[in-house]
Structures are given as C-alpha cells and as structure tokens.
Amino acid sequence: MPNSTFKYPSGNYPMKKIDVSVVLNMHREALYLRPTLLSLAACAMEAARAGLSVELVAVFDRADDATLQVFRDTPLEGFAYIRPIEIDVGSLGPARNLGIEQATGEYIWTADGDDLVSSNAIVSLFETARGHADDNVAIFVEYLVAFGEQFHVVRYFGSEWLTPADFAYQHPFVSRIFIRRSVFEKLRYVDLKVTAGFAYEDWDLNARLFELGFNFKTAPNTVFFYRQRSNSLLRQANAVSAKTIPHSTLFEPERYCEQMDDARRRNGDWPGFMRNRQEIFQRNFTRELLAAEQMRGYIMDAALLDPEVEPRRIESADSYCSIPWSSAHWGFQLEQAYRLIGNRKFDEVVVLPWLKPGGAEKYILQILDELQAAESTNRVLVLTGEAASEHEWASRLPEDAVLLDVFNFFPTLNDDDRDAMTLRLLLGVSEPGARMHVKSSWFAHRLIDRYRSVLSSHFKIVYYRFADGNYQWNGQRLRGADGVGFLRRNLNEIDLFVTDCHAILKSDLSRIGSYERKFRTIYSKCEKRHRRQLAVKPTYRLLWASRISPEKRPELVGKIAQAIRENYPDFQIDVFGHLSLEMDGKVLFDMPGVKYRGGFDGFDAISLENIDGFLYTTAFDGLPNILLEAMAAGLPVVAPDVGGISELVIDEETGFLVPDLADDESLVSAYVTALRHMYSNWERTSAIAANGYQLIHDRHGQDTFRKQVATVFSSNSL
C-alpha cells in the first residue's frame, strides 16, 4: 500500500484509466536520484500532452533516509498518480514484482534510480507497442548512452535480428522493458540470489519471453542514459556472480535446437542473414545518434539535468551493438554440442583434461563402474577440455556413456567462451543434483573457479585429489602451491574430496584445518591375478614402467644402473613407457645397463619373464596404480617415500622404500642401497613380495573396493 508519509498529486486517479505505470526501483541513490526523477517527470509531461495517463510506482527497497528525502523534495509534475512503497526485500527481482503488483496501468515500464531518459520515451514506447499486431510484444529504447566512469553508445535492434543462440551468449537488450501489465499475471522476475551464482533478472525474463514467442521491438528515436558507477547493482552482480542466468526452457536442448531450426527457416537465406548482422555490427552508432538534431537535443536535455552526461565525451565514445559480432559465437556452437550429445539427461558428469591411459583416469573410471553397477540407471557424460590427439581410453567408459571433447570439437573458441558454453551445456543436459566428478586440470580448475556458485547449486561436486607437484629450493623439496590454493578457494562449494591414499588427505588437512567430513580415502582397485613366483636365483634384471615425463625422474634410471653394476656387472633395467614431448629417449636410456623397450598399453602387456622386481622413480605421486599392478604380479617393489607410497611399500615388509632426498647423488645412492638389500637375501625378498601380494589382495580387491565406494558415496548423500 502507498506510504502515508508521501504527498501525492491531486487528480481523479480512482476514476481515471492509467495507460502506463512507471515502476521505479530505488535503494541508496540519493546523490543521483534528482536528475532521474526530473527526467521521468519530463517524460510524463510529454505523455500527458499526448493524452496518456501515467502513474509512478516508487519502490523503495531498504532505501536510506537520504534517498527518501530527495524523493519527497523533488517536484514530480505530469504524473496522474504517485504510489510510493517501502519494502524490505534486498533483491531486485522481487522488488520489481512488488511494484508491478501495485501498478494499475495497461503497460509497465521499469526504471532504476540513477538513470535518465529522453523526454519522448513514454510516448514512443506506447505508440510502438500499440502499433504491434498482437499483445506478445516487448519494447525497448533504441539507444543507450553510458556515461559517468565510462562512456559508450549502444543501439538495440528488434528480435527479427536475433536467435536463441544470442540470448545464450549475452543479453541483447537493456534492463528497462515496456510491456503489457497482463504479461506479469503469468511471468515474474526471478529472485536471483548471488550465492547461487546467477544474476541479471532482466536477461532471464527476456530469455523466457523470447521462448514464449514474444517479439522485441525498439521505440524510434529514444535514448536511455545509463550511469556507470563502481557501486551500482550491476557492478556488484558482475563482481560476485558467474555473469550468467539460470537454466530455463529456452535452453533445454531439444527446445533450443528446435528454435534454432525455426530461426533458419524464418530467415531463409541464413548466410545472407548472418552477413547482414555483421554489417549492422560494424556501423558507427555514436555517429548515427549524433547525426539527428532531435537526438542531440535529448543529449542536451540530459546534460542540463546532470553535468556528468558530457556531450563532448559522448561524441568520442565507442559504439557497440546488441547483435553479437561473431557469426560463430559460442551460443551457436552450443547447438552443435547439444546435437552431438543427443536429447538426454545425465546424472553423472565427468570433467577431465583428456581420456588417456593413466592412474588417475583409471581410478575415476573404476569408481564410475562401481556407481553404475550399484545404481544401474546412471547416465554418464564425459567432457574433456584440453588438447589431445586422441582419447585412447574412450573404450573403457561405462556402457552408453557419451564423450564430448569440447576442446577439439570447438577449436575456434577461446578458453573464456569455451568455459561459458560448457557451463550452459552442463545446466542443459544434466539432472539437478547430478554428480560431477572432477580431475585436476587447467580446464576443470577454470570452470570451478569461475562458476563455483552455479555448479555447486546444481551439482554434487566430487573432486579427486591426487598428488601436487613439487620443486627444490635451498636444498629442500617443497610442495607446489596450486593444489592447496585451489582447495582454499573452493572448499565450501565442493561436496566431497576423494583421495587414493591417506597421505594426501593428511597433508591437505594439516594445511586447511577442520574439513575432515569432506575428505575420504578410497584405495584403488587392483584386479586379482595369479601370483608369479620369483625365480630361485635372481637374474639381476629390473622393470621400470611409467609415463616418461620429467616428474617421473627417468634420468635417474641410467645413474642407478651404472652405480649398481659395480656390484652386479650384468644388471639391467628394462624401461617401458611413452615419451612425453620434452623427453629424449636416446639421451636418457642409451647407456650400459638400460634397455628402452618402447611404450606399453597396460601392465599386462609387459612380459615379466626373467624380471626380478620393479623399480619406480618419481618426484611426487599419490599411490601409483603401476605399483599396485607390480605387487599384484608378485614383484618386489623398490620405490621412493613420496606421497602415499609408504602406505603400500612398507620398508622390508611389503617392499623396499627409498628415502626422499633432494640431492640427486644421495638419492641414487639410496636406491642402490635398497637394491643391494633386495638382492642380498633373495629368500627374504621372496617373502616380502608375497606380503605385498597379500596386501593387494586384502586392501585393493574387488569386494573391499566396492564396500569403500558404497560407504563413501552413501555417507555423503552422493
């Protein structure tokens, strides 16, 4: 109800039909409000001269006293009625809704407390709306002039130039809409909480109107003077939100693709349509605005009301267009992504850099298999987002899983656009409450850092925590900062951290404190196999197998072989692994006691004939899958004490553990000492290998793994 502390213009309001209700939302705009009110009053007076009756619904949402006082003290001529409302909502969407509920006009025009408009705006908006064939029309001003901290000019165009893809990509219009009040009997502004990551109530409303078939028109020769200030609601929304709107029917995959098909049919010559759009975008709208004397007059009127509307700065301002410049922006690519995936919803989403052979990938796939076996209906979508020539393990995905390579399928997009498209895609193809399984990668970290609130409000996020990189400084090995930094930024949004060993869990909790409830260890599954018995006498031949990359320290292999051959002249290390780009096999392995055997596709592909044991060198790791497989094959293991390896390789019990030393010479010496221990009592070494095999059977077997997965995911409501 109107607040009785305000004075209203005289008039026969109860008996008079109101043509237009201006719903003005105010908060704490006292320093800017007077020019806004006088600008609206000028519109109302011109409307009155044209025979239109205009009311002002003044909505004060948690407004301060200064804003209220400025409103009371400003003469507001031209309005047939003024209806002030004081509310305590703190959100623009519901505040606009409350104002609209109090309005009585045939049309609603929304407004905010710090902007100005050309005096012809109400008349031109009304005439444009009345001139349309039906009621399903929304009208906007033709020009926006941004002023204050930044100056630019925007020209808006009708929806005949737009497609659903453009509404996905950005908001093609401005926040002030002119539309029949009856529309709000079915639609409302959404209350977009920034805690959920979404913003832009107006963009969301217009996307829903577009999906319903509304036409969007611009009122000729109208100007909206849009104040740019650091503490505006838009700036606040940009700062704390994901800069996007919620999912709605328009973005449902099937509906989206249907409407894109309709757009192509409606425009006939699609390439010509897109060329015309680009030609529009290339125009200079600042020059067009200033070319008309009428428009220059409106700029002068605004400058007289508020000196911050500086005509000389408008003259040199850049201009923009609401029609996106690119004919292949990510909104159009989204349609292709939807069609690649098909019309289905997923309840498991996996975000990976690529799907290549690796312990982390194998671990996540094992968990997916268990979840699908337990829940039977899981539909899995795998998104990869970094450069990869192929995804060798695509065949290992669960049955009916869908793999989409968003990096290689959309090579023209930059990272920002690819991420924005991925977010919109995920909201469209996944069930609310779906699980998102995330492996550390630049792609995944960008997504979560940018869209953490949106993703956490839609998904149950499971982050698989493996070893961080490290580096040497001042004779010490130090842990890299990226992993811990990511955890600290996103702990509140991620539901569950899964590790493959206790060491990572303990290390993280030692640095971030009391978040134990979110961290769980699930030991990797290792397929049970027939244990290979060691030969009665050693052959002095070891196996080294891994990805050949800097972090695996392959350069130590030759040094170890050279040193141990002083005791065992026939000693040899067989090396298996795919070379990373920066690795040169000839330099690394072309030396006595080392044989490079090439790449391998799984541990089972390696012949273990005449192999005494398994040697592992790495700078950092979690609990490497390759060590599990070596132990499961009955091999004694020699490995460094990094990450969670000591949980598997218990020195002199299940294997031979090498201390993690920063100095390479000392480290090589420690490896040699461990190997001498292994060979000095071969019978004891056979018993140690048997203990390792039993540990694999007991802790990493199928039944134990299944129970761990069931316990962890059920206990976390995941």
Side-chain angles (χ1 to χ4, degrees), residues 114-393:
D114 55 356
D115 306 315
L116 295 81
V117 289
S118 56
S119 59
N120 68 330
I122 290 177
V123 173
S124 185
L125 289 162
F126 185 86
E127 290 176 349
T128 304
R130 278 294 181 88
H132 196 261
D134 58 52
D135 293 342
N136 291 342
V137 62
I139 315 299
F140 299 89
V141 292
E142 186 173 29
Y143 285 95
L144 176 148
V145 173
F147 72 97
E149 291 187 355
Q150 182 190 32
F151 280 72
H152 60 260
V153 174
V154 180
R155 184 170 181 178
Y156 297 100
F157 290 84
S159 54
E160 68 272 16
W161 288 105
L162 297 168
T163 72
D166 303 309
F167 280 86
Y169 181 66
Q170 65 183 24
H171 187 197
F173 293 100
V174 71
S175 58
R176 304 183 69 146
I177 190 171
F178 190 92
I179 195 168
R180 284 189 178 273
R181 180 168 56 88
S182 58
V183 171
F184 292 101
E185 295 173 2
K186 297 181 179 179
L187 291 180
R188 288 287 187 272
Y189 284 99
V190 176
D191 183 10
L192 297 182
K193 302 291 188 184
V194 294
T195 53
F198 296 114
Y200 318 125
E201 296 85 351
D202 47 309
W203 180 4
D204 171 75
L205 176 71
N206 290 335
R208 289 183 284 136
L209 289 171
F210 187 82
E211 193 277 330
L212 290 172
F214 272 67
N215 276 301
F216 295 81
K217 299 292 183 184
T218 58
N221 301 319
T222 52
V223 189
F224 169 44
F225 297 92
Y226 185 43
R227 190 184 303 274
Q228 303 284 289
R229 57 190 179 95
S230 59
N231 61 342
S232 69
L233 290 179
L234 178 61
R235 294 283 182 89
Q236 293 174 34
N238 286 341
V240 300
S241 75
K243 300 182 181 180
T244 192
I245 58 174
H247 184 69
S248 64
T249 306
L250 176 63
F251 305 121
E252 277 292 309
E254 186 174 12
R255 180 61 174 157
Y256 192 83
C257 293
E258 285 176 356
Q259 291 222 359
M260 287 301 300
D261 286 338
D262 289 344
R264 280 185 281 269
R265 284 193 294 269
R266 188 169 61 249
N267 289 288
D269 179 11
W270 186 253
F273 170 71
M274 299 306 294
R275 284 195 301 273
N276 290 337
R277 280 174 34 128
Q278 287 190 308
E279 289 174 3
I280 290 174
F281 184 88
Q282 293 166 359
R283 287 158 52 180
N284 187 317
F285 300 114
T286 302
R287 187 161 49 227
E288 293 181 16
L289 171 70
L290 294 167
E293 188 62 34
Q294 178 186 7
M295 309 304 276
R296 294 173 68 88
Y298 294 139
I299 293 173
M300 179 64 72
D301 292 342
L304 291 172
L305 288 175
D306 193 326
E308 288 194 272
V309 181
E310 299 178 74
R312 61 185 179 181
R313 293 191 63 183
I314 295 172
E315 286 181 324
S316 60
D318 291 333
S319 75
Y320 303 96
C321 179
S322 62
I323 300 172
W325 71 272
S326 172
S327 60
H329 64 66
W330 71 255
F332 291 110
Q333 309 257 351
L334 176 64
E335 179 192 8
Q336 181 186 355
Y338 278 155
R339 294 190 188 278
L340 287 168
I341 289 173
N343 184 28
R344 58 192 303 187
K345 296 281 187 178
F346 298 90
D347 41 31
E348 306 279 2
V349 174
V350 187
V351 180
L352 301 172
W354 45 69
L355 195 50
K356 292 179 170 294
E361 288 79 5
K362 182 176 183 179
Y363 180 74
I364 294 172
L365 291 177
Q366 287 176 345
I367 289 179
L368 284 175
D369 286 340
E370 286 302 324
L371 291 173
Q372 191 169 52
E375 301 174 17
S376 71
T377 59
N378 289 21
R379 293 150 294 178
V380 179
L381 171 66
V382 178
L383 298 181
T384 62
E386 296 184 24
S389 57
E390 61 178 314
H391 302 286
E392 295 93 333
W393 274 10

Side-chain angles (χ1 to χ4, degrees), residues 614-618 624 627 637-642 645 649 651 655-659 671 674:
F614 188 85
L615 176 67
Y616 194 61
T617 58
T618 187
L627 295 187
V637 169
V638 179
D641 186 8
V642 299
I645 289 178
V649 182
D651 194 32
F656 300 89
L657 196 64
V658 176
Y671 272 104

Side-chain angles (χ1 to χ4, degrees), residues 1 3 5-6 58-61 63 68 72 84-88:
M1 296 296 294
N3 187 307
T5 63
F6 289 94
V59 182
F60 297 91
D61 184 12
L68 293 166
R72 293 188 184 101
I85 308 167
E86 293 185 63
I87 61 174
D88 184 7

Side-chain angles (χ1 to χ4, degrees), residues 81 176 310 473 518 523 608:
Y81 194 75
R176 304 183 69 146
E310 299 178 74
W473 186 81
K518 286 193 173 189
Y523 282 110
L608 302 181

Side-chain angles (χ1 to χ4, degrees), residues 483-552:
V484 172
F486 176 81
L487 291 184
R488 287 173 172 153
R489 293 192 302 273
N490 297 288
L491 267 168
N492 292 327
E493 284 75 25
I494 294 176
D495 297 277
L496 178 65
F497 295 87
V498 175
T499 69
D500 63 355
C501 60
H502 287 305
I504 293 174
L505 182 152
K506 291 177 182 177
S507 177
D508 284 342
L509 292 178
S510 72
R511 290 165 173 83
I512 61 176
S514 56
Y515 282 83
E516 291 91 344
R517 62 184 177 80
K518 286 193 173 189
F519 284 77
R520 294 292 184 272
T521 297
I522 300 175
Y523 282 110
S524 300
K525 180 177 69 174
C526 188
E527 301 294 343
K528 184 179 179 181
R529 65 188 72 190
H530 178 70
R531 184 167 72 89
R532 172 183 174 275
Q533 299 293 328
L534 292 181
V536 176
K537 293 183 179 181
T539 63
Y540 301 104
R541 188 174 164 197
L542 291 185
L543 170 66
W544 188 101
S546 185
R547 181 177 66 255
I548 301 175
S549 56
E551 67 271 17
K552 299 301 181 183

